[in-house]
Amino acid sequence: MEDDGILLMESPQRIFEKYHIDEEMGFALPNPLEKLPPPYDEWISIAKNLPELIKKNELRKKVDELKILSIDGLSGHKLQRLARLALGYITMAYVWNQGDGDVRKVLPQNIAIPYCELSEKLGLPPILVYADCVLANWKKKDPNGPMTYENMDILFWFPGGDCSKGFFLVSLLVELAAASAIKVIPNLLKAVKNQDEVTLKKALHYIASCLHRAHEEFEEVHKHVDPSTFFNVLRIYLSGWKGNSQLPEGLKYEGFWENPKKFAGGSAAQSSIFQCFDILLGIQQCSGEEFAAEFLQEMRNYMPPAHRDFLLLLKSGPSVREFVRSRDDIELKADYNECVKAMVSLRKYHLKIVAKYIVIPASQQPKKNQASEESSEQKNKGTGGTNAMDFLKSVRTTTEKFLLIDH
């Protein structure tokens, strides 16, 4: 990885272009495409009708009838991202079907081969990730209208009615609110390098305000996502095959790999935005509990490679935290602390959401016999396969430790 030269010498536009970052949208894919050319449009028609096909128990039959398509006709990043999104939805639906424990352990080659080839090309694992279902799964109803929940929709749905839309769009709007702050990062780092406290204060102040706005967007989840539907329906389709008792060996991708592979399900930990601010503020999650640090590190493999590289680039840049510590400036410390507090606040709020949407519904499940398809331990896991409460508590506690206290 290059040194911090690119961050300090290149224009922000060049940096963002190189690392697939949009000045307004951040890590989200700007204006995703909605249609694939023939013959790939077959994938779209299945992905568009998943709830109906699953309800009629016709989904697997439809998938089994598909021809194996070469991915050579899919040129351009946006077209490839759309194809991957559609294949990701189809894969989750094929594995979990009606969510009743009838699980498929083999993904047939007619879907496995193009999905794995495309995933390899895009540098992502062949499972539905946050960069698919949140960052590349949206459209505006009125193209000239605002980026608001009311004027937006998702491209593909899982069973559970509006739960998919609520969960994915609220996640996207949280991401976008925080991502507004990315555009000040190059200037912020130049300010550190040039010891320009005035510019640094402005940038930190702006980052804090974006993180506060992200918190406000997060609160909308209660309005749009029903806990019972999330827990009993949508969560199942977002579950992966790593650390999952229903697929202890993982999933076999027929015709591509000889042995089954284990991949984690989609998780907010796969968002680059909050790891980006951890790095920028010098919040070292590796100083916290080992399992949480390892999980965050592992989740980088589920991010688009350009975004992963941007995080590494940031890490090589000048330290905002050390500069703030070295100055005897109460206001500067306060502006820095405001950013850290905003990160703590978001993580505390995330804990409340996990309690409401995973822990409480899990405790309300009827006790089943030993042959139950899903263990109680499994039910308390987030979609990424970790114990969500333990993970978030650890990350929150570590974040709090990085507040600068005057001694």
Side-chain angles (χ1 to χ4, degrees), residues 193-398:
K193 190 83 172 164
N194 300 331
Q195 306 197 353
D196 174 357
E197 292 181 29
V198 175
T199 303
L200 182 55
K201 281 178 193 171
K202 270 188 197 155
L204 288 170
H205 194 70
Y206 183 68
I207 289 170
S209 73
C210 292
L211 292 172
H212 291 317
R213 218 166 60 248
H215 195 298
E216 285 166 19
E217 293 289 358
F218 207 173
E219 290 168 20
E220 294 294 298
V221 73
H222 304 287
K223 200 189 295 181
H224 301 296
V225 183
D226 170 66
S228 175
T229 311
F230 173 79
F231 182 82
N232 293 302
V233 185
L234 185 57
R235 180 185 61 93
I236 292 167
Y237 294 102
L238 299 180
S239 300
W241 25 94
K242 181 174 184 183
N244 191 327
S245 55
Q246 294 186 83
L247 283 162
E249 307 291 312
L251 180 69
K252 182 165 169 49
Y253 293 82
E254 187 183 61
F256 197 81
W257 285 304
E258 196 55 44
N259 298 315
K261 296 282 178 183
K262 296 178 182 181
F263 295 113
S267 155
Q270 295 169 357
S271 161
S272 306
I273 194 77
F274 297 108
Q275 293 213 32
C276 165
F277 289 120
D278 273 344
I279 294 168
L280 189 72
L281 297 166
I283 298 166
Q284 295 174 6
Q285 292 296 340
C286 58
S287 69
E289 291 189 61
E290 203 177 329
F291 82 97
E294 279 174 5
F295 182 67
L296 280 172
Q297 195 58 42
E298 185 199 338
M299 287 302 102
R300 291 197 189 178
N301 300 327
Y302 294 75
M303 297 174 186
H307 298 164
R308 215 182 299 158
D309 289 345
F310 182 71
L311 297 183
L312 290 174
L313 180 73
L314 268 189
K315 204 164 171 42
S316 74
S319 169
V320 176
R321 180 180 171 79
E322 288 313 308
F323 177 73
V324 173
R325 281 178 74 170
S326 71
R327 313 307 271 190
D328 196 17
D329 186 328
I330 294 167
E331 266 183 32
L332 183 61
K333 275 199 179 75
D335 285 334
Y336 170 85
N337 277 341
E338 196 53 41
C339 292
V340 178
K341 281 178 192 165
M343 290 288 281
V344 171
S345 174
L346 274 162
R347 284 166 170 158
K348 280 183 176 169
Y349 198 70
H350 200 167
L351 272 165
K352 283 186 186 170
I353 299 296
V354 168
K356 177 175 174 176
Y357 286 87
I358 295 179
V359 180
I360 294 169
S363 70
Q364 291 167 345
Q365 294 294 295
K367 292 277 183 284
K368 293 188 179 178
N369 59 30
Q370 283 306 101
S372 160
E373 65 272 4
E374 197 181 20
S375 68
S376 61
E377 184 194 356
Q378 188 68 39
K379 284 179 176 153
N380 268 302
K381 285 184 174 179
T383 48
T386 54
N387 182 308
M389 291 299 272
D390 290 349
F391 167 70
L392 281 167
K393 280 177 184 168
S394 172
V395 171
R396 176 211 58 199
T397 303
T398 304

Side-chain angles (χ1 to χ4, degrees), residues 104-123:
R104 282 287 157 91
K105 296 179 178 179
V106 179
L107 190 66
Q109 59 181 359
N110 47 1
I111 208 96
I113 291 173
Y115 189 31
C116 290
E117 286 177 351
L118 195 55
S119 298
E120 222 164 55
K121 201 172 190 139
L122 288 166

Side-chain angles (χ1 to χ4, degrees), residues 35-51:
K35 290 181 177 162
L36 290 175
Y40 308 104
D41 53 346
E42 285 185 280
W43 297 343
I44 296 287
S45 77
I46 291 179
K48 280 273 184 215
N49 293 300
L50 284 186

